[in-house]
Each structure stands twice: as C-alpha cells, then as structure tokens.
Amino acid sequence: MSWGNLTGSKKDGGLVFRDLRSFNLAMVAKIGWHLLSNPHSLVSRIYKARYFPHSPFFDVDIGTNPSFVWRSIWQARELLTLGCRWSIGDGKNIPVMGESWIRGLNEGLVRGPQQQGVYGMTISELMSPLGKCWNVHAIKLLFDCGVVKDILQTPLVEDVVEDKLIWKEEKDGCYSVRSGYILWRKTRGTPDSNRVDGDWCSLWNIKAPPRVKHLIWRICRDVLPTRSLSNIIDSRIINFHDDVASVLLDICSSEDSMLAGRVAEWFVAQDIGSRDHVHPYQLTWRPPLEGRLKCNVDAGFNINRGTTNRGWCIRDHMGNFISAGTAWDFGSFPILEAEALALKEAIRSAIDLHLEYVIFESDSQNTIHAICSDVNGFSEFSSIISSIRSLLDNFPNFEVKFVKRQANSVAHALAKAADSWTRRSFFNMVPPCIDHLLINDMS
C-alpha cells in the first residue's frame, strides 16, 4: 500500500501512521511560534533583523539568499496563519481588516469588501470609550448585518489587557505540535489518501487510559451510530482516569437527557458499572461543615438572545439560603471561559459581602484543574484563571472544588434564568426559580 493510504484512518483502510511531511511542518512551525510569542528573545531579534526588520512576520517575503532554517520557517507560516488568532486587549494593535480576531461560529477575519474607511481602523475604534465593550452604534453604521452579528458575538474579556496572538487550537493559547499536525491534515489533506478522520483524531489525542477511549468508541458504535464521536467527547475527560461511567453519563446528560438514559441502559446491559466500581446514580448537594459556607457556581447560554449567563448561590451548613446572584453578557463565550468567569464573579461577590471560609463548587473540572495547577498560557481562559488565582491568594480561606452537575442544579437554574433579570442581579431573598431545588437538596 502507498504511504498516503497507511496514514489514513482505520475506517478508510489505513493504519493511522503519521504523515511525516506534515509532522515535520508542524514541528518547524513551533519555531515560528516562538518568534511570534517571544519577540524579545535573542533568536527572535536576530531573525527579525535579518529577514523582516520592517514587516510583520506573516507579511514578509522569503528574502534573498535565505538560510535553510529560515526557508523552512517561512514555509510553515501557512500553518500558523490557520491556527493563530488575536486576543483583544485594548485593541490598538489589531487592524479590523486582514487579521483573524472574530470568534464564534464564523471565527476568523472580517470579510471584504467593506467601506473604505474600515481598512485603516483598529479594533479600539470599534470599542466603547466607557469600558471594555463594543460600540454597537458605530459598528452598525460601518458593517452589514452579518458582520455586525459576528463582531457583537465576539466576547471582550476584561482580564486580557494586552493585544497578543494566541493559538486558538489549544485552550491555553500556546502552540503544540499535536494540534498543529491535526489542523494541517484537516485543512490541507487530500480527500483520498491524506484524509484524517476527525473522530479518531479526537479520540486518539485525549489524555485518557486506553479503556476510556475504547469505552467511548463502543458507546458510539452501539448507542449513537449516527453521531460523531466529537459530539460527546468533552474536555472534562482529558484529565480523567477513574469513574468512567459516571463521568460519561455526566457529559451525556449535559447534552441530552434522553441520550443519558440510553447510555445508562447500555452501561447496565454491559455490566460496566460493577467492573469499574461505579453505578450511575443521581448525586445531591452536600452542606459544608459548620462554620463554613458553600457557593455553587455555573454558567449557561441563551442561543436565541446571544448571551452568556452566570449564576451563583451561597448556603450555610444547614442548607439555609444566604444570597444569590446572576449576570449575563452579550457574546458567545467558550464554555471554559464562561465557567471561569462565573467562578470569578462569585468570588468577587463573596469578597464584597465580607464572607470568610467559603467553598466554591463548579461542575467544570477543567476550570478547577487549571486554577489548582501552576500552568500559565496566553489565551483569554488563561487570563481569567490568573485573575482567580490572584483573588484566592489574597483570601486563603476561600477554596474551589469540582462537583458533579447533578449536585449543582441550583446554580444551573440561576444561570439558565439569568437573562430574565437585569445585567447584574443580587438576591437577598430566594428567587422563585430555585425555591423547589433548595427544598429538594435538603430532603
């Protein structure tokens, strides 16, 4: 068989061998990423002085008499252009046209043609002078309805203070050879021999034991024959090693309750729960120890209104309601950013209330893991996590924990209903939407 066929997916008769040419390009692109992300390093300054002293990295020609290394880096720029995006700080360094900064469904560039004046503008000119938000009136005057919707759905994160290029294929915004290889094969592979099956790529690259990957594949084969694996693989699996059944059920229930029921029946039929020492069951909220408070936090989305919602609720060791709050913003925040923002807002609210010894519970395992780790990054999510760490450092009696979605129903209900109230709402009395849930949690 040809090498091109061997690098294909098993479903297409291949053996999923690496395409060495694409893999080498992804490795060389990491050097180009270093030049972009560390412009003040010695090697970056040398290359800039030699090959692009007066031009941006992406606009430079190969030049005269280039070295072999520079020629390789220059060829790898195309891969970097596919996966790089601007993270918006003050917006003064990001041109409106010709750069990738739009987020959401149509992530990428503002497409032309546009009005002539737009081509010399920066993003800062589209932002309100009163705060970090979009100037809706100015945007509607400059662009048509489709572009206006894309811009307004691009969230502006207060924690990002500096314009910077990030790698949008990784949650920390840092380039990785793995994601570069997958992106290049997905966008530049030929339909016949160089095709990479997206489902198998997602399954192959998650950091989980082989039995977890095999279990996901079996569920999709037996229960979801028409669905893509990528539709149920959630980022919460990445750092998961045990408790296979309950985590997969949690993921499925967040997508579709009927789907969760079918998967639960499949677990029972396969007798997997007993082998993994896990039985699917409904978890409940647990009160904190006496003298402590517990604050449950969650994020939600209203697709029709285009808002990202947040909700939090504080209770004492008897389960008594103390306070609650909601907030919402226009824009399509990624789920991890939304969960992190919800947690940050809850912590700030607890600080404003002068509370001590508070346990904050979130059903986003990746958010909690990122806070507890010492890994930093360039992305908006990483900036929010850094802000949360700073808050926790100043208040050592605060603690963050992961909780199953089933035990976070009160915060989930508040987040779901957040855009029914004002932009920021605070409750000293129990909101009607969670009254019955508070009773159920204590029954």
Side-chain angles (χ1 to χ4, degrees):
M1 296 178 66
S2 68
W3 182 255
N5 288 330
L6 290 176
T7 58
S9 67
K10 291 183 179 179
K11 185 178 70 175
D12 298 321
L15 291 177
V16 205
F17 288 173
R18 289 197 185 277
D19 175 6
L20 297 184
R21 185 180 182 86
S22 298
F23 187 68
N24 183 65
L25 185 74
M27 292 175 63
V28 174
K30 191 169 187 178
I31 305 175
W33 172 255
H34 178 83
L35 300 181
L36 287 171
S37 58
N38 299 279
H40 302 297
S41 66
L42 178 59
V43 66
S44 298
R45 287 186 285 129
I46 290 174
Y47 272 98
K48 181 170 179 60
R50 172 66 176 85
Y51 294 108
F52 52 106
H54 307 297
S55 303
F57 175 75
F58 288 120
D59 296 339
V60 67
D61 294 327
I62 193 170
T64 58
N65 194 27
S67 68
F68 176 76
V69 175
W70 172 248
R71 186 184 297 274
S72 301
I73 296 173
W74 188 82
Q75 291 174 343
R77 289 181 317 150
E78 185 179 357
L79 169 56
L80 292 175
T81 59
L82 294 173
C84 281
R85 171 181 61 79
W86 280 98
S87 176
I88 303 172
D90 58 16
K92 294 180 180 179
N93 300 311
I94 310 174
V96 172
M97 303 298 296
E99 296 285 348
S100 177
W101 58 272
I102 293 288
R103 302 176 71 183
L105 295 177
N106 299 321
E107 186 164 316
L109 293 75
V110 175
R111 302 295 179 184
Q114 299 293 338
Q115 297 182 31
Q116 186 62 35
V118 172
Y119 288 84
M121 296 178 65
T122 62
I123 291 179
S124 60
E125 297 174 73
L126 303 180
M127 296 166 64
S128 171
L130 303 178
K132 194 168 183 181
C133 59
W134 294 116
N135 186 336
V136 179
H137 178 70
I139 292 172
K140 288 183 176 180
L141 288 177
L142 291 168
F143 303 98
D144 59 36
C145 294
V147 176
V148 168
K149 182 178 179 181
D150 289 341
I151 293 176
L152 297 183
Q153 284 295 299
T154 298
L156 296 174
V157 180
E158 291 183 357
D159 302 274
V160 180
V161 296
E162 179 185 357
D163 298 330
K164 52 191 173 183
L165 278 171
I166 67 170
W167 182 251
K168 63 187 179 184
E169 300 299 315
E170 294 285 356
K171 66 180 181 181
D172 61 0
C174 299
Y175 178 85
S176 71
V177 175
R178 177 191 63 83
S179 60
Y181 174 80
I182 293 174
L183 178 63
W184 182 256
R185 294 275 288 164
K186 182 171 63 176
T187 57
R188 292 295 185 265
T190 60
D192 298 324
S193 61
N194 289 331
R195 181 172 56 193
V196 175
D197 183 81
D199 295 344
W200 280 105
C201 280
S202 300
L203 187 59
W204 182 261
N205 287 288
I206 61 172
K207 298 176 182 177
R211 69 187 181 96
V212 177
K213 300 177 185 180
H214 185 247
L215 186 59
I216 298 171
W217 176 79
R218 287 174 60 194
I219 291 174
C220 292
R221 181 195 63 186
D222 297 342
V223 183
L224 311 169
T226 61
R227 283 207 184 187
S228 169
L229 280 173
S230 59
N231 287 342
I232 72 163
I233 293 177
D234 188 277
S235 57
R236 283 171 288 172
I237 288 181
I238 291 177
N239 297 301
F240 174 73
H241 293 283
D242 297 306
D243 201 12
V244 179
S246 62
V247 168
L248 289 179
L249 277 172
D250 184 33
I251 293 168
C252 293
S253 63
S254 67
E255 299 292 332
D256 183 346
S257 58
M258 293 182 63
L259 168 63
R262 291 199 300 270
V263 174
E265 292 174 358
W266 185 87
F267 276 126
V268 173
Q270 302 296 322
D271 195 27
I272 287 178
S274 60
R275 289 202 301 273
D276 287 340
H277 307 289
V278 172
H279 297 277
Y281 58 92
Q282 185 74 20
L283 298 178
T284 57
W285 180 82
R286 294 182 180 180
L289 296 176
E290 186 173 357
R292 294 179 178 270
L293 300 174
K294 179 171 285 190
C295 178
N296 288 87
V297 182
D298 202 8
F301 302 90
N302 187 325
I303 298 176
N304 295 327
R305 288 194 61 190
T307 60
T308 299
N309 304 343
R310 302 183 285 278
W312 53 267
C313 180
I314 301 176
R315 286 172 277 182
D316 63 14
H317 69 283
M318 298 292 292
N320 297 317
F321 175 87
I322 302 297
S323 64
T326 61
W328 57 268
D329 290 303
F330 285 113
S332 299
F333 286 82
I335 181 63
L336 284 180
E337 290 179 30
E339 295 282 4
L341 284 170
L343 185 57
K344 187 186 77 169
E345 185 139 0
I347 294 174
R348 283 182 171 175
S349 298
I351 294 172
D352 293 339
L353 292 171
H354 306 289
L355 301 179
E356 297 183 357
Y357 301 103
V358 183
I359 300 171
F360 298 89
E361 288 187 338
S362 168
D363 57 21
S364 174
Q365 191 172 21
N366 266 0
T367 301
I368 301 302
H369 176 77
I371 294 170
C372 297
S373 70
D374 56 357
V375 178
N376 298 311
F378 299 130
S379 67
E380 291 88 350
F381 174 68
S382 299
S383 298
I384 301 168
I385 293 298
S386 295
S387 296
I388 294 174
R389 288 176 185 161
S390 298
L391 292 174
L392 294 176
D393 288 341
N394 293 326
F395 295 88
N397 293 328
F398 287 176
E399 185 179 359
V400 294
K401 289 185 176 181
F402 167 72
V403 67
K404 297 288 186 180
R405 181 180 293 270
Q406 295 92 330
N408 204 37
S409 57
V410 170
H412 180 72
L414 284 168
K416 187 176 181 180
D419 54 3
S420 302
W421 298 296
T422 58
R423 197 77 170 263
R424 298 287 186 278
S425 299
F426 182 79
F427 304 94
N428 287 316
M429 303 292 291
V430 178
C433 65
I434 63 170
D435 196 7
H436 65 290
L437 295 174
L438 292 174
I439 296 174
N440 288 340
D441 280 350
M442 295 310 298
S443 60

